[in-house]
Amino acid sequence: MRFVHLISLLFIAACNSHSTAQTFELTPLKCNSKYNDFAAITYSDGIIFCSDRPNNIAIQYLDAENNTPTKLYIADNPNKGSARLFTASITTKMNEGPGCFNANLDQFYYTGTICSPEDKRVRHLGIFISELNGNEWTSPKSFEYNSPDSAYSIAHPTLSHDGKTLYFTSDMDGGFGSKDLYKCELTSSGWGKPENLGAAINTKHAEIFPFITQDGKQMYFASARDSGTGLDIYKSEWINGKWQAPVKLEEPINSDRDDFAFVINPDATTGYITSNRNGKNDELYSFNLNYPLFEGCPPAELPTFCYLFEELNIVPNDSMPMTFEWEFGDGTTGGGLTAEHCYEAFGEYHIGLNVYDSRTKAKFARVSEVDISIEKSPFPFITSADTSMVAQAIKFTPEGTDIENFNIENYYWDFGDGSRDIGHDVAHTYQEPGIYTVQIGLIGKLADSGVEEKRCATKKITVGTASQIAALSNSTEDDEPQESVLHNDMIFNDNDSIQKLTYAPDSSIYYVQFKESAVPIPLEDEYFDNVIYEITERYEAKDTLYKYSVGNTNNVGELLKMQKDLKENGYEAALIRQEKTEEFNNTTTRKWWFMPDSINSAVNNHINKFSDIRFNLNAYQIQPESFDKLSYVAQILLQEPSFTLRIMAHTDSVGTAENNLKLSQSRAQAVVDFLANKGISKDRLIAEGYGENVPIASNADELGRSKNRRVSFEVINNLGPLDKPKRSK
C-alpha cells in the first residue's frame, strides 16, 4: 500500500457528529491517476493536491524507503483528467505538500522536506510559506518552529479563517503519542510557541491531516486510534473554550481502508477526502451533503406540565365561611381560588373547583370544571439558549423530543444563516447580529408500519453584541415580557378560566424538589449517592423544613430529564416546582455536588497519571518535559473550582534526612508555584514534603530508590461556595 510510504514521508502512522450512509454522496475525481493522489484543497474554481505521479524533474531524491517524492499539482477542473505542477517557485527535487491557503489566497503554507544537500534520504519535514507577488509565488520561507537539527517533523498545516491560528501535526517531544496535533497563535511579534491540543484530541496513536472549518468551531482530522480500521476521519467541536471528544464519522466518509485529508468547503455541503478504499492506491474523492427539504415546520414547543388555575367569576366574601379547593384530576388537590400545579405525566385530566363550609367541612358545590389533555408532541423540540453573543458557540440538541410511534434515524439542522449540520448534538457560531430561525428536521419510520416520515420544528435565536444582549435582558425587568426572551410564553384562555402557566426568566425559577427533611441531611450522607446533578439545600422557616432540589432554571423543559433520572434512581418524590427567584435565593443555605467514594477514587486515579513530575538532580527546578503534565492538571482545576489539590513530594534515602525533607518540601512548593502561574489560587493548593519518610519500595537498590523519588496528588472536593468542609468520609 503506497500510503504507508507516504506516511513514513508525511509521518509514519500505525496503519491498522453523526452522519449516515444516506447523508453523503462520494465521487472519485477524474484527475486521479494510477499513482497516489491525495489531500485536495479548493483553489479558485479547481483544486490543489499532492501526487507522486511522474513529472519532468530529471533528478529526484528518494526517501528512506526508495520512494519518489510527492509534488503539488493543480487541476483547474478536477472532473477532467488534466493536472499540472502548481508552481515552479516551490517545486524542488524533494517532497512538497500537503498545504493550505490563507483567506485572501495570497499566502500558501505547505509541507516540505528538511535535509542537507548531501543527504539523499528524506527523513524530516517542515512547514514552508510562499507569498503571491503579482502573478508569481515567491521562494518559500521556513516556518520558525521547524526543527533546526532534524530532531522532529511538523507537517499538514491548516490555517484559521482569520489567519491567527496555525494547526499542524508533529512528532516533537512531549506529546501523547506517535504524532500529535498542535497549534501556534499569531502575535504582534510573530508566531507563538507550539501548543499541544491536549488529551481531548490526541492519543497514543497518530493524529494527522487536521482541517479547521471557516468558523473555527469544527476540526476534522485522521487518526489510527483503536476504535478505527486503519486511518479514519474524526470530528471535534469547539464548545465553551475547549475541544470536545472527537466523533468518528460514519460511512461512506469512513471505510474499512485508510480515509484521511477531509476538507469541507464554506458552503458546509461539499468537500474532498482521500481514501485507498479501491484496495490499491490513494485516490481523491469529492463529497456532497444530501440535505433533505423540510416544509411547514411549526415552532418547537415542549408539552406543558405546569398550569395556573384561577377562578375569576367568584368574589370572596369575608362574611361567608367558605373555603375553596381544586381537584387536579391526578389525585392531588390545592386550596384557594388560584392554584398552581405541575403534572408528572402525559394524560387526560378532569379539573374541578369545590366550595366547602369552613366550619362543618360540608361541600357546597362544584363551581368550575374543565378537561385538559397533556399529549406528546408529534414534532421535535429544540433545546438551546434563546440568546447568544456574536462569535459565541451555541449548543443545540433535540433533548425533550418524545414522539409517539416514531423511530428517529437522522437529525438535520439548518441554522438560518446558510449553515447546516447533521447529528443529535451540534454546535454553531453566528458571525452577525440578528434573529435567526433554527430548524430541526427528523427522518424516521413509524414503529407500527415502517413507513418513512419527516418531522420538523423551528426556534428563533436572538444573536447580538454583548451590549445588545445586555440591553435586551435589562429591558425585561421593567417592561412587558418580550416574546424573544421568554420561554413557554403562549397563553391559553377558555371560558372555564384556566390558563397555561407563564413566567418571566427574571421573576421565577423552576426546580425539581426530591426531598423534605425536618433536620438537615449531612453533606456526605449516602442518601445523595445517586444524584448526578448539583444539589441545592433550602430552609423554609414557615414550614420548618429543609428542602433539597436540583435544576434551578427558567426553562421547565430542561427539568424533565432531571425529574425522570431522579425517579429512576429511587427518588420517587421528585416533582417540578416553581418559586419566585428572590425567595428561592433567600432560602438557599448551600449548594454542592455529591461525590461518592467511587467517583472520588476515579478522579484521583486519573489526576495521578500526570504526577510523574521530573526535577533537576538534587534540586527543585521542574524540568520542561513535565510542563505539559502540570498544564493539564491546571486545566482540570480551572474547570472544577470546587477541587483543592494536595501535592505530596517524596525522596529516596540518599543524603541526610533533614536535607531530603527540605528538598521534598521545596519540590512540592515548586509545583504549587507552577500551578499558581496558570491561574490556580494558592488557597486551593497544599504543598507537603515527606522526604524519605514514606517509601513505597526498598532503598537498597536503584530501582527501589527511583520509585521512592516521586510526587503524588490527592484531590479534595470542597462541597460548595457557601460552606467548604473537607470530605472525611
Side-chain angles (χ1 to χ4, degrees):
M1 181 179 65
R2 170 63 173 172
F3 190 65
V4 173
H5 143 62
L6 291 177
I7 289 300
S8 70
L9 184 68
L10 305 175
F11 299 150
I12 299 174
C15 289
N16 147 5
S17 128
H18 179 78
S19 54
T20 66
Q22 291 73 34
T23 301
F24 289 97
E25 183 177 303
L26 265 64
T27 305
L29 298 183
K30 297 289 186 181
C31 61
N32 283 318
S33 68
K34 65 180 181 179
Y35 299 92
N36 291 288
D37 304 299
F38 63 100
I41 58 172
T42 301
Y43 180 66
S44 187
D45 294 328
I47 60 171
I48 305 289
F49 65 96
C50 300
S51 179
D52 62 356
R53 63 184 65 184
N55 55 63
N56 58 5
I57 299 178
I59 300 175
Q60 300 183 84
Y61 290 125
L62 304 180
D63 71 2
E65 297 176 359
N66 291 318
N67 293 308
T68 56
T70 61
K71 302 296 172 193
L72 287 161
Y73 288 81
I74 182 170
D76 295 320
N77 186 339
N79 288 316
K80 292 185 178 180
S82 61
R84 65 186 187 278
L85 286 169
F86 172 44
T87 176
S89 60
I90 65 172
T91 302
T92 69
K93 299 173 183 178
M94 303 297 183
N95 292 279
E96 287 89 41
C100 68
F101 292 93
N102 66 347
N104 295 328
L105 300 179
D106 57 9
Q107 281 188 326
F108 184 55
Y109 293 73
Y110 69 95
T111 306
T113 299
I114 299 177
C115 70
S116 65
E118 298 80 19
D119 187 358
K120 296 185 178 182
R121 299 288 181 172
V122 176
R123 300 188 183 279
H124 293 89
L125 301 170
I127 294 175
F128 296 86
I129 307 164
S130 178
E131 297 187 353
L132 188 62
N133 184 9
N135 295 322
E136 300 293 332
W137 289 95
T138 62
S139 296
K141 296 179 180 179
S142 178
F143 183 55
E144 54 196 275
Y145 292 107
N146 288 340
S147 176
D149 55 1
S150 294
Y152 59 85
S153 291
I154 62 175
H156 308 170
T158 181
L159 193 65
S160 64
H161 185 68
D162 61 8
K164 294 181 179 179
T165 308
L166 182 68
Y167 298 86
F168 55 87
T169 303
S170 179
D171 58 356
M172 64 179 63
D173 289 341
F176 292 86
S178 59
K179 313 294 177 293
D180 280 4
L181 298 185
Y182 290 80
K183 69 173 182 179
C184 287
E185 302 283 355
L186 186 63
T187 68
S188 58
S189 57
W191 289 105
K193 293 183 178 180
E195 300 176 38
N196 191 292
L197 295 192
I201 296 295
N202 293 308
T203 66
K204 65 181 180 180
H205 299 284
E207 278 71 45
I208 55 179
F209 288 98
F211 174 76
I212 194 78
T213 56
Q214 183 168 308
D215 63 5
K217 302 302 181 182
Q218 296 175 331
M219 181 169 59
Y220 297 86
F221 61 92
S223 177
R225 58 188 62 187
D226 294 333
S227 62
T229 52
L231 281 172
D232 287 307
I233 297 169
Y234 291 79
K235 172 186 175 182
S236 177
E237 301 270 1
W238 179 261
I239 301 176
N240 297 328
K242 60 182 179 180
W243 290 109
Q244 304 300 301
V247 176
K248 177 185 170 183
L249 301 189
E250 295 185 4
E251 294 182 357
I253 293 298
N254 281 316
S255 67
D256 59 356
R257 297 278 185 164
D258 288 313
D259 307 288
F260 59 101
F262 181 98
V263 173
I264 192 166
N265 293 322
D267 62 13
T269 61
T270 61
Y272 302 98
I273 68 165
T274 302
S275 178
N276 66 352
R277 61 188 65 192
N278 63 9
K280 299 177 183 178
N281 54 305
D282 298 321
E283 286 190 327
L284 300 169
Y285 292 80
S286 65
F287 66 78
N288 184 65
L289 181 62
N290 296 324
Y291 194 93
L293 180 64
F294 296 91
E295 296 180 319
C297 306
E301 294 182 7
L302 277 175
T304 301
F305 287 87
C306 294
Y307 292 82
L308 171 68
F309 300 96
E310 186 174 17
E311 172 56 68
L312 301 178
N313 296 320
I314 297 177
V315 178
N317 188 335
D318 293 339
S319 64
M320 296 289 290
M322 293 187 299
T323 59
F324 303 91
E325 183 180 77
W326 292 92
E327 292 182 4
F328 298 123
D330 60 353
T332 63
T333 60
L337 288 173
T338 300
E340 297 175 3
H341 183 63
C342 292
Y343 291 91
E344 296 184 35
F346 297 101
E348 306 285 336
Y349 300 98
H350 182 75
I351 297 93
L353 177 62
N354 299 321
V355 183
Y356 293 87
D357 185 318
S358 60
R359 294 171 299 184
T360 65
K361 308 301 181 185
K363 180 178 178 180
F364 285 153
R366 172 166 285 202
V367 295
S368 295
E369 290 184 299
V370 72
D371 291 310
I372 63 171
S373 177
I374 305 176
E375 300 177 343
K376 292 183 178 181
S377 172
F379 303 102
F381 186 72
I382 300 173
T383 298
S384 71
D386 293 336
T387 59
S388 178
M389 290 188 291
V390 171
Q392 176 177 298
I394 308 176
K395 182 178 179 180
F396 295 92
T397 173
E399 191 70 49
T401 299
D402 189 4
I403 304 176
E404 197 81 45
N405 191 40
F406 187 67
N407 296 325
I408 303 170
E409 296 181 345
N410 297 313
Y411 299 83
Y412 299 89
W413 297 87
D414 187 323
F415 300 114
D417 64 348
S419 300
R420 293 171 173 172
D421 204 347
I422 297 174
H424 185 277
D425 295 344
V426 297
H428 184 62
T429 303
Y430 292 94
Q431 303 299 328
E432 299 292 338
I435 298 177
Y436 297 91
T437 300
V438 177
Q439 178 192 89
I440 182 175
L442 309 179
I443 290 183
K445 292 180 180 178
L446 298 179
D448 53 4
S449 65
V451 174
E452 185 174 272
E453 284 194 1
K454 295 179 180 179
R455 303 290 174 88
C456 62
T458 61
K459 178 179 181 178
K460 292 188 181 297
I461 303 294
T462 301
V463 179
T465 63
S467 59
Q468 289 171 332
I469 296 299
L472 182 62
S473 176
N474 293 335
S475 69
T476 65
E477 296 180 1
D478 303 314
D479 303 341
E480 291 296 318
Q482 297 184 11
E483 182 176 350
S484 61
V485 294
L486 288 183
H487 306 275
N488 250 7
D489 56 353
M490 300 295 291
I491 306 299
F492 170 76
N493 288 306
D494 64 18
N495 295 331
D496 296 288
S497 301
I498 297 180
Q499 67 180 34
K500 187 178 295 185
L501 182 65
T502 63
Y503 58 95
D506 291 333
S507 62
S508 295
I509 197 167
Y510 290 81
Y511 55 93
V512 183
Q513 183 172 303
F514 63 92
K515 179 67 175 177
E516 291 183 349
S517 175
V519 296
I521 302 176
L523 301 180
E524 70 276 11
D525 197 288
E526 291 185 358
Y527 176 78
F528 299 115
D529 198 10
N530 293 320
V531 181
I532 61 174
Y533 306 102
E534 185 181 40
I535 303 168
T536 297
E537 179 190 79
R538 299 167 53 236
Y539 177 71
E540 292 193 352
K542 65 179 184 296
D543 300 328
T544 63
L545 288 174
Y546 291 87
K547 300 183 178 182
Y548 299 88
S549 63
V550 299
N552 311 345
T553 179
N554 301 125
N555 186 350
V556 177
E558 297 175 2
L559 301 178
L560 298 178
K561 184 178 184 302
M562 292 185 180
Q563 183 189 30
K564 180 181 177 182
D565 289 343
L566 287 168
K567 284 182 173 291
E568 289 178 350
N569 282 288
Y571 302 96
E572 295 294 337
L575 289 174
I576 298 176
R577 297 184 181 276
Q578 179 196 24
E579 186 71 76
K580 294 295 183 183
T581 301
E582 183 178 2
E583 178 64 22
F584 185 91
N585 292 334
N586 288 341
T587 57
T588 296
T589 55
R590 63 183 61 143
K591 295 182 180 181
W592 76 96
W593 290 85
F594 177 76
M595 181 179 287
D597 288 345
S598 59
I599 297 178
N600 194 64
S601 297
V603 171
N604 275 289
N605 287 339
H606 176 71
I607 205 166
N608 269 292
K609 294 177 182 178
F610 303 90
S611 64
D612 182 21
I613 309 303
R614 304 298 176 89
F615 298 89
N616 292 335
L617 184 64
N618 295 323
Y620 55 84
Q621 287 80 19
I622 301 172
Q623 293 184 2
E625 66 190 71
S626 299
F627 289 173
D628 285 346
K629 296 185 182 72
L630 286 176
S631 295
Y632 182 78
V633 173
Q635 291 177 22
I636 294 177
L637 295 174
L638 287 171
Q639 293 171 7
E640 298 294 345
S642 65
F643 285 176
T644 291
L645 187 66
R646 184 182 176 201
I647 301 133
M648 296 164 285
H650 307 267
T651 69
D652 57 26
S653 61
V654 176
T656 67
E658 181 181 2
N659 287 339
N660 286 334
L661 188 63
K662 290 180 180 179
L663 178 61
S664 64
Q665 183 65 40
S666 297
R667 287 180 171 178
Q669 187 60 44
V671 175
V672 168
D673 294 340
F674 183 96
L675 296 174
N677 287 333
K678 293 291 184 179
I680 310 301
S681 171
K682 287 190 176 181
D683 293 338
R684 299 172 57 200
L685 303 170
I686 303 171
E688 296 180 353
Y690 290 87
E692 60 190 68
N693 296 320
V694 190
I696 59 174
S698 171
N699 280 303
D701 54 50
E702 177 53 30
L703 178 61
R705 289 192 293 272
S706 66
K707 292 180 180 180
N708 290 331
R709 298 190 296 267
R710 70 194 189 279
V711 171
S712 59
F713 297 139
E714 180 186 2
V715 170
I716 302 169
N717 183 38
N718 298 319
L719 298 181
L722 300 180
D723 62 336
K724 297 187 177 181
K726 292 185 172 58
R727 294 287 301 279
S728 58
K729 180 181 173 184

